[in-house]
Amino acid sequence: MITIKDIASEAGVSVSTVSRVINNRPDVSEVARNKVLEVAHKLNYIPNESARDLAGTQSDSIGLIMRGIGNPFFSEMFGVIEQSMKKTKYSLAINQISSTANEIQAGAELARAKRLSGLIFMGGNFAYTPEMISVLDIPFVCCTYSNKFGDLSPEIFSSVSIDDEAEAYRAVNALIDYGHKDIAILLADTEDQSISELRYRGYCRALKERGIKINPNLVQKTTNFNLAEAYQATIHLINKEQEFTAVFAISDILAMAAIKALHNSGYQVPGDVSVIGIDGLNISEFIIPTLTSLIQPKLEIGRRTVELLLDIIEQKSSNQQIVLETELRLGESIRSI
Amino acid sequence: MITIKDIASEAGVSVSTVSRVINNRPDVSEVARNKVLEVAHKLNYIPNESARDLAGTQSDSIGLIMRGIGNPFFSEMFGVIEQSMKKTKYSLAINQISSTANEIQAGAELARAKRLSGLIFMGGNFAYTPEMISVLDIPFVCCTYSNKFGDLSPEIFSSVSIDDEAEAYRAVNALIDYGHKDIAILLADTEDQSISELRYRGYCRALKERGIKINPNLVQKTTNFNLAEAYQATIHLINKEQEFTAVFAISDILAMAAIKALHNSGYQVPGDVSVIGIDGLNISEFIIPTLTSLIQPKLEIGRRTVELLLDIIEQKSSNQQIVLETELRLGESIRSI
DNA sequence: TAATGTGCTGGTAACGTTACCATAAATGAA
DNA sequence: TTCATTTATGGTAACGTTACCAGCACATTA
């Protein structure tokens, strides 16, 4: 194991100077700098991150607390974030937590155990209170969701996401514009304060504004973002024998399962039933019929999340809530009636 | 920040004793142990991993070098491995590398930077030489692939995977059993020594053994495991106007894109063309038509990978190559002619 | 009785790095 | 010339933990 001491003696300078060179600090002469770099390269030196983290005021690690990798949307988002982080000096420490676990607690523990510089939360809950986040004494950004139900003031938290309520509203309006009135909704999560709840609110608002009564029989819940369960939930919806001509699935993963269930039950999509989703999974463009969906700008969400977090860490920016827009991709899964 | 010193003075013992308790070592009296645990809990103590890694002989981190997260199969495998690792004391350090990067080099660097106890390689290349892996001085396991092209003796490396050649052979034989003779193959990767190459060999062997000549016009390549590219490749295959009644896609992701491309080009699947894949993505069971595929035992691959690596680290086992079998799931995408 | 374990405990030097202070040399201003 | 200021460097104490050695009771054996 090559250490800065080895480099120091080999290059004929002190460990302090080596450390300064490695960390790209200004107060070093060109001669010393070049000599150190040359020796470091020759000896194939790799800094020991543990020692760095321990000695430094903070580590160069960012924690990612993920919930529900079951939904491929988050796998895709993970890839994007990982990619964005690659361009920085920071590395990612990932912690996947169960849907029931307390993510704030998990984040706080990871942060202290690994001396993280910052945290990214993905796929979480919405209801944070100031007391809850007070245990987090480092910068954090919520990715793909905001704090619509909590009572946090905008100054004390950051997020990068779409406006779930507004986008759902837009999706349902698209269906209504196509002439649909009997629109079922396929929800996930049993928790009240979830992304599902927000999108449900958008559904309700759209129907109300267009003078359509909400029919509880057309509100179908599934426990999570899982193909098999969503399939069963759709079968259940069909078995209610309540007429509907369209399904708004609050996620592409649910939408794809719904299309399959409808198809297996003898319904044509979009002939008999139109289906629209939200999220924009890569695969949803390649199924038959192509899924109509509101595509989240995954690349930009990931990029902006990393950017914002780093700016906050480096005190170039303060907390803010960034809201991005989806793009409506018209696929083959809906038609007008 | 609470340290073992705080606990030591609060509990009235030495730091050595606290360390012993935290690490569950035997030589501590019950009285001291209980007192320390009580104080640690009261002060909400969380061990500093950096200090641990630095002071200890090795860290409790395992590195995961992943290639090509583009293929959802690896996202799903990642979830499984993450889950399996949860049950152990080890934590995961993930490094996603580009398809051109040298994974051995990446692994070696990560291992030294973070003082890893072991490495898992996923989605990589096949051709390792003893010199190449000699830079890795820690235990490692190749997950989902083996070393079919390299000249490593079985004693010096470990893997958990299916037999890609044999499984491809099985898939193509299934098509032949259904009466198909003009069987196209959809490959990925331009590199010679890949998973794609092995599956291609299985395809060739099956055809040869059943007396079918290999038609180069029916061998269609795409540069990687990507839906859009696979779609284009299939279109290209169709445009050759070479008759074929079946497609063997060497991965589900390619198979799904192929089905879509065939469908958009006016071919019925399986009416005109049968399609079979390998891997077993979650979604492939929910597309129309349900994909026929050889399902990799993802859970078991992940579990055995972690198990084997930990056994090697803890010297309970030596290197070995574990080969698991797929399960043929007959979907709607093939039919006999 | 003396010698030899055995179980538990504390002290302290690592681990590899950074932060901070001290100092020497070089430069500029008075 | 002399003093102040800048620039480049080295020395060393942290950081929080584990590994290792030493030592003290107390029990066991010859």
Side-chain angles (χ1 to χ4, degrees):
Chain A
M1 162 78 54
I2 305 292
T3 73
I4 54 171
K5 274 189 189 167
D6 302 319
I7 297 180
S9 62
E10 179 83 13
V13 295
S14 70
V15 289
S16 308
T17 301
V18 176
S19 176
R20 275 186 280 260
V21 173
I22 302 294
N23 291 284
N24 242 327
R25 282 199 227 290
D27 290 4
V28 189
S29 68
E30 275 311 300
V31 181
R33 163 165 280 122
N34 290 334
K35 182 71 189 162
V36 167
L37 287 176
E38 180 201 319
V39 173
H41 187 257
K42 193 182 76 187
L43 298 183
N44 192 19
Y45 168 73
I46 297 169
N48 181 315
E49 283 192 19
S50 305
R52 264 193 169 171
D53 291 350
L54 188 58
T57 46
Q58 61 177 18
S59 82
D60 286 345
S61 292
I62 304 284
L64 174 62
I65 308 289
M66 282 178 83
R67 201 177 233 176
I69 202 159
N71 188 348
F73 175 68
F74 293 117
S75 313
E76 294 179 10
M77 277 307 310
F78 165 68
V80 172
I81 287 183
E82 229 257 344
Q83 210 57 41
S84 299
M85 202 65 83
K86 265 273 158 59
K87 295 166 194 154
T88 73
K89 67 170 176 175
Y90 295 89
S91 67
L92 260 189
I94 290 116
N95 200 358
Q96 165 80 15
I97 60 168
S98 73
S99 55
T100 52
N102 180 334
E103 66 211 302
I104 303 275
Q105 186 61 30
E109 278 177 22
L110 192 68
R112 287 179 56 193
K114 293 196 189 276
R115 287 190 149 224
L116 301 177
S117 301
L119 279 168
I120 296 173
F121 290 101
M122 198 157 87
N125 232 324
F126 284 83
Y128 298 148
T129 60
E131 298 80 55
M132 285 167 76
I133 68 160
S134 69
V135 301
L136 291 172
D137 47 0
I138 58 167
F140 67 94
V141 175
C142 298
C143 178
T144 72
Y145 70 108
S146 186
N147 179 54
K148 292 284 174 172
F149 298 97
D151 53 355
L152 300 184
S153 68
E155 290 83 28
I156 61 168
F157 88 103
S158 286
S159 63
V160 179
S161 68
I162 60 167
D163 182 336
D164 288 284
E165 197 271 349
E167 299 292 355
Y169 172 83
R170 192 173 153 210
V172 176
N173 261 312
L175 290 173
I176 299 172
D177 288 344
Y178 272 56
H180 295 276
K181 284 190 176 59
D182 301 316
I183 302 172
I185 181 169
L186 194 53
L187 298 169
D189 280 355
T190 49
E191 301 162 45
D192 283 337
Q193 296 161 329
S194 66
I195 201 165
S196 190
E197 168 72 10
L198 278 177
R199 293 182 182 177
Y200 175 62
R201 289 186 187 186
Y203 165 82
C204 294
R205 182 161 66 94
L207 293 185
K208 259 181 209 151
E209 281 188 13
R210 305 288 284 262
I212 302 169
K213 252 186 84 179
I214 290 153
N215 181 344
N217 278 330
L218 293 182
V219 176
Q220 181 63 51
K221 291 196 180 176
T222 175
T223 51
N224 60 34
F225 294 89
N226 171 289
L227 285 160
E229 284 187 35
Y231 182 91
Q232 285 308 324
T234 308
I235 296 292
H236 195 249
L237 172 67
I238 293 166
N239 288 342
K240 285 181 191 166
E241 298 193 3
Q242 184 81 41
E243 292 266 320
F244 59 91
T245 63
V247 175
F248 165 49
I250 60 102
S251 169
D252 275 11
I253 194 86
L254 304 184
M256 293 191 293
I259 289 177
K260 182 70 174 173
L262 286 162
H263 178 263
N264 283 4
S265 301
Y267 293 89
Q268 300 279 338
V269 176
D272 301 315
V273 178
S274 290
V275 176
I276 191 169
I278 299 191
D279 279 353
L281 295 182
N282 293 334
I283 184 68
S284 69
E285 205 172 349
F286 291 90
I287 62 167
I288 303 167
T290 306
L291 184 63
T292 297
S293 181
L294 294 173
I295 315 298
Q296 295 211 39
K298 283 174 286 192
L299 257 69
E300 198 180 354
I301 292 176
R303 191 176 59 74
R304 300 281 296 266
T305 297
V306 171
E307 222 172 81
L308 176 57
L309 181 59
L310 266 49
D311 281 352
I312 297 172
I313 290 172
E314 289 157 13
Q315 308 201 312
K316 284 187 269 182
S317 166
S318 53
N319 280 312
Q320 55 184 293
Q321 295 80 48
I322 297 174
V323 178
L324 302 171
E325 286 186 358
T326 65
E327 184 201 348
L328 173 61
R329 186 188 63 214
L330 280 172
E332 302 152 353
S333 67
I334 68 172
R335 65 154 200 163
S336 44
I337 55 173
Chain B
M1 165 75 56
I2 305 293
T3 74
I4 55 171
K5 274 188 189 168
D6 302 319
I7 297 179
S9 62
E10 179 83 14
V13 295
S14 69
V15 289
S16 308
T17 300
V18 176
S19 176
R20 275 186 280 259
V21 173
I22 302 295
N23 291 285
N24 243 327
R25 284 200 225 290
D27 288 4
V28 189
S29 67
E30 274 311 299
V31 182
R33 163 164 279 123
N34 290 333
K35 183 70 189 163
V36 167
L37 287 176
E38 180 200 321
V39 173
H41 187 257
K42 194 181 77 186
L43 298 183
N44 191 19
Y45 169 73
I46 297 170
N48 181 313
E49 282 191 20
S50 305
R52 264 194 168 167
D53 292 350
L54 188 58
T57 46
Q58 62 178 16
S59 83
D60 287 345
S61 291
I62 304 284
L64 174 61
I65 307 289
M66 281 178 84
R67 200 176 234 177
I69 202 160
N71 187 348
F73 175 68
F74 293 118
S75 313
E76 294 180 10
M77 276 307 309
F78 165 68
V80 172
I81 287 182
E82 229 256 345
Q83 211 57 40
S84 299
M85 204 64 85
K86 266 274 159 60
K87 295 167 194 154
T88 73
K89 66 170 176 175
Y90 295 88
S91 67
L92 261 188
I94 291 116
N95 200 358
Q96 165 80 17
I97 60 169
S98 73
S99 56
T100 52
N102 181 333
E103 65 212 303
I104 303 274
Q105 186 62 28
E109 279 176 22
L110 192 68
R112 286 179 58 192
K114 292 193 190 278
R115 288 188 149 225
L116 301 177
S117 302
L119 279 168
I120 296 173
F121 291 101
M122 198 158 86
N125 232 323
F126 284 83
Y128 298 148
T129 60
E131 299 80 55
M132 285 168 75
I133 68 160
S134 68
V135 302
L136 292 172
D137 48 0
I138 58 166
F140 68 94
V141 175
C142 298
C143 179
T144 72
Y145 70 106
S146 186
N147 179 55
K148 292 283 174 170
F149 297 98
D151 53 355
L152 300 184
S153 68
E155 290 82 29
I156 61 167
F157 88 102
S158 285
S159 63
V160 179
S161 68
I162 60 167
D163 181 337
D164 288 285
E165 198 271 349
E167 299 291 355
Y169 173 82
R170 193 173 151 209
V172 176
N173 261 312
L175 290 173
I176 300 172
D177 288 343
Y178 272 56
H180 296 277
K181 285 191 175 60
D182 300 316
I183 302 172
I185 181 169
L186 194 53
L187 299 170
D189 279 354
T190 49
E191 301 163 45
D192 283 339
Q193 296 161 329
S194 65
I195 202 166
S196 190
E197 168 71 11
L198 278 178
R199 293 181 183 177
Y200 175 63
R201 290 187 186 187
Y203 164 82
C204 294
R205 181 161 66 93
L207 292 186
K208 258 181 211 153
E209 281 188 12
R210 305 288 285 262
I212 303 169
K213 252 186 86 178
I214 291 154
N215 182 344
N217 279 330
L218 293 182
V219 177
Q220 181 63 50
K221 291 197 180 177
T222 176
T223 51
N224 61 31
F225 294 88
N226 171 288
L227 285 160
E229 284 188 34
Y231 181 92
Q232 285 308 325
T234 307
I235 296 292
H236 194 249
L237 172 68
I238 294 166
N239 288 342
K240 286 180 190 165
E241 297 192 4
Q242 184 79 42
E243 292 265 322
F244 59 90
T245 63
V247 175
F248 165 50
I250 60 102
S251 170
D252 275 11
I253 194 87
L254 304 183
M256 292 190 295
I259 289 176
K260 182 71 174 174
L262 285 162
H263 178 263
N264 283 4
S265 301
Y267 293 89
Q268 299 280 338
V269 176
D272 302 314
V273 178
S274 290
V275 176
I276 192 169
I278 298 191
D279 280 352
L281 295 182
N282 293 334
I283 184 68
S284 69
E285 205 173 348
F286 291 89
I287 62 167
I288 302 167
T290 306
L291 184 63
T292 297
S293 180
L294 294 173
I295 315 297
Q296 295 212 40
K298 283 174 285 192
L299 258 68
E300 198 180 353
I301 292 176
R303 190 176 60 74
R304 300 281 295 267
T305 297
V306 172
E307 221 172 79
L308 177 57
L309 181 59
L310 266 48
D311 281 352
I312 297 172
I313 290 171
E314 290 157 13
Q315 308 202 313
K316 284 187 268 183
S317 168
S318 52
N319 280 311
Q320 56 183 292
Q321 295 81 46
I322 296 175
V323 178
L324 301 172
E325 288 186 357
T326 66
E327 184 201 348
L328 173 60
R329 186 189 62 215
L330 281 171
E332 302 152 354
S333 67
I334 69 172
R335 64 155 201 164
S336 44
I337 56 173

